[in-house]
Amino acid sequence: MIGMAWACCLVLGCKSTGPATAPAPIEHSILGSWEGCDGRVVTFTREPDGLILGHYSELGGLGKYGFTRLEEGYRIRRQGRGTYNGKVKWRDTKGNASWKNVVITIEIDNVFRSDGSDSCSAEMTRLDP
């Protein structure tokens, strides 16, 4: 009898009685909206040619430098999983604009890290999953 139960298990397959849960996926894409420490929000979208643009959907502290809502602030391209290179727009206290090199990584904890941005864009958090 025990042999039959064993054979049945091998043929039909034994399954566990606990629920199967898959780990949550880690999102390495920059696409979507990100919030900086001063309330600014940057929304990244991809153009048909692969260029990724970041527009300021909320200004936070950027208004005092002459930035406007929906203004383009990033022009980047994906370099690898979670890594992006390109340009970020800077404005001086008089509102004069210039573009600087930027490298952005999207970390395992869904944190945006940038080496060419100011302190409130150097680390931003994802608003939409």
Side-chain angles (χ1 to χ4, degrees):
M1 192 64 158
I2 294 175
M4 286 178 78
W6 177 254
C8 181
C9 187
L10 286 176
V11 172
L12 298 176
C14 296
K15 57 183 175 180
S16 83
T17 57
T21 57
I26 296 167
E27 182 62 60
H28 289 281
S29 173
I30 198 169
L31 301 178
S33 296
W34 298 83
E35 184 174 24
C37 68
D38 65 352
R40 74 186 65 176
V41 175
V42 183
T43 301
F44 290 93
T45 57
R46 185 184 342 260
E47 296 292 299
D49 67 354
L51 181 67
I52 298 171
L53 300 178
H55 291 89
Y56 296 108
S57 49
E58 298 294 335
L59 294 178
L62 293 175
K64 66 183 173 188
Y65 296 104
F67 282 91
T68 58
R69 194 167 178 274
L70 303 179
E71 181 174 350
E72 182 181 306
Y74 289 86
R75 295 177 184 166
I76 58 174
R77 292 198 180 270
R78 184 176 182 264
Q79 298 301 306
R81 187 175 180 195
T83 305
Y84 302 84
N85 292 354
K87 302 282 185 182
V88 61
K89 186 183 285 184
W90 279 74
R91 289 191 181 274
D92 63 22
T93 55
K94 295 179 183 175
N96 300 313
S98 62
W99 289 88
K100 297 187 179 190
N101 292 333
V102 66
V103 175
I104 300 167
T105 57
I106 305 304
E107 308 265 329
I108 292 174
D109 52 1
N110 270 328
V111 172
F112 172 113
R113 298 193 198 285
S114 168
D115 73 344
S117 300
D118 70 346
S119 61
C120 281
S121 289
E123 184 174 306
M124 296 194 287
T125 56
R126 187 183 297 279
L127 290 180
D128 50 5

